[in-house]
Amino acid sequence: MKFIVNKNKIFETVRVCNSITDNLNSSPNFLGTLIETENSKLKFTSSNGLISIKSIIEKDENLNIINNGKVLLKTKTLFNVLSKLKKSMINFERIDNSVLKIKTDYFDSNINILDEEKYPNINFNFNGWKEIELPSIVFKKTITKIKHAANLNKEKINIMSGVCFISNKENKTLEVVATDSYKLAFYKFESSLDDFKFVIGIDLIDLFADILEHDKNVKIYISDNNVIFKIKEFLIASKTIDGEFPNISRILTLPKTKKAIISKKTLLDALERGMVFSPMDKKAAAKLIFNSEKIEISFNSVELGNSKEEIPCKSNVENSIEILLNATFLISLLKVFDNDEICIEFEDGLRPVTLIDEKEKNFMQILIPIRN
């Protein structure tokens, strides 16, 4: 195998392959990236056993394929070498069955190779699968506004460890939801897509942030519990998360007759000051007392002391209502809003609290109060 390529042509692909490589995986083959040359194409395949990536790069003036072949290299070593090279043409040549020579005008190296015959056969064939095409804005919103509400504890993987996509053709909606049962983020888009529902893991959502271009659509192929995404030159294969995602319709329609309009920045600043009085190893509880023109925010810790602060609001609350909320969760919800004016809706001190940006009403977040 021998080819010459401009570093810019392949570096993003190698970086993405490196980002998913699982260095803790017991199989040494999952530490590698398979590189193949075939006529006018250069192919990269990498996997961590859960997420698999294939990138196909077409021949042009920045890629000259001299001999076909394949080689399996440790991904981290390949990435580290390329990241230190200047932007220039790079020669790749397999020498016997032991090394891959990587050479430029000023640099010469030999990387030990792995046995490519032992590399798992990863199937990227989606013929006959259900095809969906989504605008990139759906994934942008998912990445920036939804994923933080999912269960991020990798030691307790379940159906809530991912983001759920629900398409309803009759209602002409596409809903994107994440929840860990304590907090929830929900985004609704107008859509004419056929009915479907699937849940994908947060690691996969994070990967999209690396390669997504906002001006291009994303193609999705679904079959049973498998899904393949086509983004730019990448095919990304993964299993969907098994299980029944919680039915959130009830919590979305709970009565919420009380409203308070607040400044996101003002509330965030007050919460972060009060967090000083919350031990790091314990749940940070913030007591919010809503009145018609102000919110009183207090923290109390036997070990550290206490704080109290008042911030202005516009509210229809006539008699004071006290709500105890997880301050860490509340801060995480507030930070993803784009605008400063936020509406907090609630019924009493025990039922869920809803946060809405009045300028983006198709996005809402919900937080469950702490019960004493």
Side-chain angles (χ1 to χ4, degrees), residues 14 38 59 71 153 164 187 197 209 216 245 248 257 346:
V14 174
E38 182 180 313
K59 183 178 178 180
V71 66
N153 186 347
C164 184
Y187 216 115
K197 181 178 181 179
K216 294 185 178 180
F245 198 81
I248 64 167
T257 59
F346 52 93

Side-chain angles (χ1 to χ4, degrees), residues 66 116 165 249 263 326 331:
I66 300 169
E116 69 270 12
F165 293 77
S249 58
S263 160
N326 183 308
I331 288 171

Side-chain angles (χ1 to χ4, degrees), residues 53-260:
I53 291 178
K54 187 170 189 175
S55 174
I56 301 175
I57 301 172
E58 300 287 345
K59 183 178 178 180
D60 62 12
E61 68 274 9
N62 290 308
L63 171 60
N64 180 20
I65 297 173
I66 300 169
N67 293 320
N68 290 336
K70 59 183 178 180
V71 66
L72 181 64
L73 301 172
K74 285 190 176 180
T75 311
K76 190 173 185 63
T77 304
L78 176 62
F79 173 73
N80 287 342
V81 170
L82 292 183
S83 64
K84 303 301 182 184
L85 296 179
K86 297 177 183 178
K87 297 176 181 178
S88 62
M89 300 300 288
I90 306 173
N91 289 269
F92 290 78
E93 183 178 6
R94 177 167 180 163
I95 308 298
D96 299 324
N97 291 317
S98 56
V99 298
L100 179 75
K101 180 179 283 293
I102 298 180
K103 185 178 180 180
T104 69
D105 291 340
Y106 61 91
F107 176 81
D108 193 341
S109 69
N110 295 298
I111 299 180
N112 293 336
I113 64 176
L114 304 172
D115 184 357
E116 69 270 12
E117 299 303 326
K118 293 182 179 180
Y119 195 73
N121 182 21
I122 302 171
N123 185 10
F124 291 93
N125 183 4
F126 48 77
N127 288 338
W129 292 24
K130 185 174 185 177
E131 180 179 340
I132 303 162
E133 188 165 353
L134 296 179
S136 59
I137 188 173
V138 173
F139 285 90
K140 181 181 178 183
K141 297 293 187 184
T142 298
I143 292 164
T144 58
K145 292 179 175 291
I146 300 293
K147 69 167 189 172
H148 69 93
N151 169 29
L152 302 180
N153 186 347
K154 294 188 177 182
E155 295 181 359
K156 297 180 179 180
I157 302 294
N158 56 36
I159 191 65
M160 291 185 285
S161 302
V163 174
C164 184
F165 293 77
I166 309 168
S167 176
N168 188 311
K169 187 174 183 179
E170 182 179 351
N171 295 335
K172 296 182 178 180
T173 59
L174 171 64
E175 298 173 353
V176 186
V177 191
T179 182
D180 61 0
S181 78
Y182 301 105
K183 57 186 183 298
L184 179 148
F186 171 86
Y187 216 115
K188 181 185 287 188
F189 299 86
E190 291 185 1
S191 169
S192 58
L193 295 169
D194 289 337
D195 291 348
F196 64 81
K197 181 178 181 179
F198 63 86
V199 182
I200 56 174
I202 291 300
D203 287 346
L204 194 53
I205 293 292
D206 286 338
L207 181 60
F208 294 147
D210 258 359
I211 60 178
L212 188 63
E213 290 185 355
H214 297 160
D215 59 344
K216 294 185 178 180
N217 287 353
V218 177
K219 289 186 177 180
I220 306 173
Y221 304 91
I222 305 171
S223 177
D224 298 326
N225 62 339
N226 294 291
V227 62
I228 294 178
F229 293 81
K230 191 177 190 307
I231 305 175
K232 299 194 302 182
E233 72 271 20
F234 293 98
L235 289 175
I236 305 168
S238 177
K239 288 188 176 297
T240 57
I241 299 179
D242 291 333
E244 186 63 32
F245 198 81
N247 185 345
I248 64 167
S249 58
R250 179 179 172 275
I251 196 170
L252 292 179
T253 56
L254 286 173
K256 301 176 283 286
T257 59
K258 309 296 188 298
K259 295 184 179 183

Side-chain angles (χ1 to χ4, degrees), residues 311-361:
I311 64 171
C313 74
K314 297 177 183 179
S315 169
N316 65 352
V317 175
E318 296 179 356
N319 300 314
S320 297
I321 294 180
E322 177 183 311
I323 306 177
L324 194 63
L325 296 173
N326 183 308
T328 303
F329 290 168
L330 180 55
I331 288 171
S332 71
L333 268 58
L334 289 168
K335 284 185 174 180
V336 301
F337 285 111
D338 293 329
N339 300 301
D340 188 60
E341 188 173 277
I342 303 301
C343 178
I344 302 176
E345 299 181 350
F346 52 93
E347 186 64 24
D348 52 38
L350 298 177
R351 281 181 272 193
V353 173
T354 300
L355 287 81
I356 297 175
D357 180 347
E358 292 289 342
K359 296 180 180 179
E360 196 176 21
K361 291 188 176 182

